Amino acid sequence: MSLLGSADQTRLRTEFEQLTRPVHLLFFTQSLGCETCAQTRQVLNELPALSSRVIIDEVNFVLEPDRARRYGIDRVPAIAVAYAQIDHVSAADGSADSGDLVDTRIRFLGTPAGYEFVSLVQAVLLAGGGESQLSEASRQRLASVQRPVTLHVFTTPT
Amino acid sequence: MTLAHEMAFASPHITAYAVEATEHPDLARKYRVTGVPKTIVDNTIEILGALPEDAFIEQALFSQAE
């Protein structure tokens, strides 16, 4: 059963029509000792049904530690947002090749439910070629940042 | 949360984690999160509440003397 009502599904399907390239949601999970991995999977599974350009790449946190490290993931459930530059949807064979992904450095730790689901949709739209909502002044300010910076933004599910 | 994610998308040097506090109580404790949103920059700078875009960027990235 879907978590989203049919009106939300229709609205998201329309929004995802803007996607111009495949968005890969790398879902870091493990089968044991992760209370909320199943609910995160349930939320994520809503999305590929709404657009062929949203792809869930499940990564076993225990078996693929190198991949987790590469994306700076040290806990589960976690999501890293990436995109592919080659569009499999318009490719002749329709194959989804996730070999060459561009990392957006957008991460979610924990289940993106409630308001965070909105953030996840925004992240998908951005990664899929959507326009940044930042002002021109902000973008110029950000361009001057030359050192690595890590932001943790704490939220709650409501 | 979208603002921090937008910043990560715009700058190749910025990584932004949205952390669900109730699912990660150890992190919430570590950073003394008592209300949300709360932003931690490089484990040091704390920003409470939601700020306008320009103020948030200034506090998060330019408030420390280099």
Side-chain angles (χ1 to χ4, degrees), chain A residues 36 72 75 105-111 116 132-133 135 138 141 145 147-155 157, chain B residues 1 5-6 8 11 13-21 23-24 26 37-40 42 53 58 61-62 66:
Chain A
T36 56
R75 52 184 59 233
R105 296 164 308 285
I106 294 173
R107 310 280 185 263
F108 291 85
L109 302 180
T111 310
E116 282 310 288
S132 166
Q133 304 298 311
S135 70
S138 294
R141 203 76 175 110
V145 174
R147 63 181 201 283
V149 178
T150 303
L151 304 173
H152 285 90
V153 183
F154 287 86
T155 63
Chain B
M1 183 55 217
H5 280 160
E6 287 263 10
S11 167
H13 302 289
I14 299 174
T15 304
Y17 294 83
V19 187
E20 212 289 279
E23 277 181 60
H24 298 291
D26 59 319
K38 179 171 179 175
T39 304
I40 309 292
D42 289 338
E53 180 178 311
E58 289 309 311
L61 304 175
F62 301 101
E66 307 255 333

Side-chain angles (χ1 to χ4, degrees), chain B residues 34-63:
Chain B
T34 51
V36 293
K38 179 171 179 175
T39 304
I40 309 292
V41 186
D42 289 338
N43 302 329
T44 51
I45 302 166
E46 299 186 357
I47 302 173
L48 289 171
L51 296 181
E53 180 178 311
D54 52 348
F56 185 84
I57 289 173
E58 289 309 311
Q59 275 204 33
L61 304 175
F62 301 101
S63 62

Side-chain angles (χ1 to χ4, degrees), chain A residues 4-19 46-47 50-51 117-118 121-122 125:
Chain A
L4 295 168
S6 64
D8 286 335
Q9 287 186 25
T10 303
R11 196 173 49 80
L12 286 173
R13 201 171 275 126
T14 306
E15 287 208 56
F16 287 159
E17 279 171 12
Q18 302 167 41
L19 302 175
E46 296 284 320
L47 300 178
L50 303 173
S51 168
F117 184 74
V118 178
V121 169
Q122 296 298 325
L125 292 173

Side-chain angles (χ1 to χ4, degrees), chain A residues 43-112:
Chain A
V43 171
L44 288 177
N45 281 346
E46 296 284 320
L47 300 178
L50 303 173
S51 168
S52 55
R53 288 198 172 97
V54 181
I55 296 140
I56 311 296
D57 292 341
E58 197 163 311
V59 182
N60 187 307
F61 183 67
V62 179
L63 300 179
E64 299 177 72
D66 291 348
R67 219 158 158 209
R69 208 171 303 121
R70 197 190 320 152
Y71 285 92
I73 301 299
D74 65 353
R75 52 184 59 233
V76 290
I79 301 157
V81 182
Y83 62 87
Q85 282 166 314
I86 299 164
D87 188 5
H88 69 281
V89 175
S90 52
D93 60 356
S95 62
D97 179 9
S98 60
D100 215 8
L101 295 182
V102 180
D103 183 12
T104 64
R105 296 164 308 285
I106 294 173
R107 310 280 185 263
F108 291 85
L109 302 180
T111 310

